Amino acid sequence: MSEREKRVAVLISGRGSNMKALVAASRAPDYPAKIVLVISNKQDAAGLEFARSENITAIAIDAKAYQDRAAQEDAIHQTLIEHNIELICLAGYMRILTENFVAKWSGKILNIHPSLLPKYPGLNTHQRALDAGDKEHGCTVHIVTGELDAGPIVAQAEVPVLPGDDVDSLTARVLIEEHKLYPRALAMAVSK
Ligand code: GRF
């Protein structure tokens, strides 16, 4: 690993397709970041197995094993420190981080969100875009702050909403863009 590659951890809860896209991108010799750690808050997240198959340290830090949210986040924080992590990418991490945790990693946590923020923070973004009759939808990578899905935007990608779209077709179209956007946004964030 080159001295200048940033050491990145990806936090997931499930299949981890965005994490896979980040891992694939970081294999390129000139990519400025390396995914060296994957943490899931779910023991059975499919993404953990993938990460291990790529020889990336992959650890479940399950909330159920801890007394409270603060204790689980402390465990995550310690693990990040032990692995000399410089930047965190949330990729389908379905647990809201506390302000205390975010403050410890201020400006160093990225998230990918499946909407054109500031439109549709929170859940069910594709359904909400369809319900609103939007002609364009997309995804956003932003810096995580104490306010949900509201931090500074790093990059966005748009997709058209087509006649006849349903949640599945729109989700799939956005996901293709997510997999291109997140590696690009991470490279931009670490090169700043
Ligand atoms: C993605 O749509 C992402 O935007 C959202 O959660 C989903 C995670 O998918 N935050 P995956 O686990 O990366 O496949």
Side-chain angles (χ1 to χ4, degrees):
M1 192 191 312
S2 115
E3 285 302 314
R4 297 172 65 236
E5 281 175 337
K6 286 265 194 258
R7 292 175 61 82
V8 174
V10 185
L11 269 58
I12 63 169
S13 297
R15 66 187 165 179
S17 71
N18 278 287
M19 177 268 292
K20 289 181 189 175
L22 291 170
V23 169
S26 79
R27 296 285 184 223
D30 56 347
Y31 195 75
K34 188 160 180 82
I35 312 306
V36 294
L37 177 67
V38 173
I39 296 175
S40 169
N41 66 323
K42 305 254 182 221
Q43 203 81 43
D44 58 355
L48 288 174
E49 275 314 305
F50 168 81
R52 285 175 192 136
S53 76
E54 294 280 314
N55 293 319
I56 296 168
T57 305
I59 302 171
I61 301 182
D62 195 327
K64 280 182 273 179
Y66 296 87
Q67 203 172 3
D68 55 25
R69 172 170 295 232
Q72 186 234 8
E73 285 190 348
D74 279 351
I76 293 175
H77 179 71
Q78 284 312 321
T79 306
L80 296 166
I81 297 293
E82 278 161 24
H83 289 82
N84 299 313
I85 297 302
E86 296 167 279
L87 207 133
I88 302 165
C89 287
L90 306 183
Y93 186 70
M94 297 304 287
R95 200 171 159 86
I96 294 170
L97 294 166
T98 64
E99 284 194 29
N100 184 36
F101 182 92
V102 172
K104 284 184 193 156
W105 292 90
S106 179
K108 295 179 178 167
I109 311 175
L110 298 179
N111 180 43
I112 186 152
H113 182 77
S115 80
L116 295 172
L117 291 172
K119 271 192 162 181
Y120 314 131
L123 298 174
N124 304 319
T125 56
H126 307 303
Q127 186 64 60
R128 287 154 72 195
L130 288 169
D131 291 347
D134 290 354
K135 297 277 179 283
E136 285 186 330
H137 186 45
C139 47
T140 303
V141 173
H142 67 95
I143 295 169
V144 172
T145 61
E147 199 183 336
L148 182 69
D149 299 330
I153 290 171
V154 177
Q156 292 186 305
E158 291 180 7
V159 302
V161 181
L162 301 176
D165 262 342
D166 59 13
V167 167
D168 287 347
S169 62
L170 193 52
T171 302
R173 193 174 307 122
V174 172
L175 196 61
I176 289 169
E177 295 308 314
E178 290 186 36
H179 296 162
K180 293 186 267 183
L181 181 70
Y182 214 170
R184 189 159 62 80
L186 173 58
M188 286 165 63
V190 303
S191 302
K192 268 205 291 188

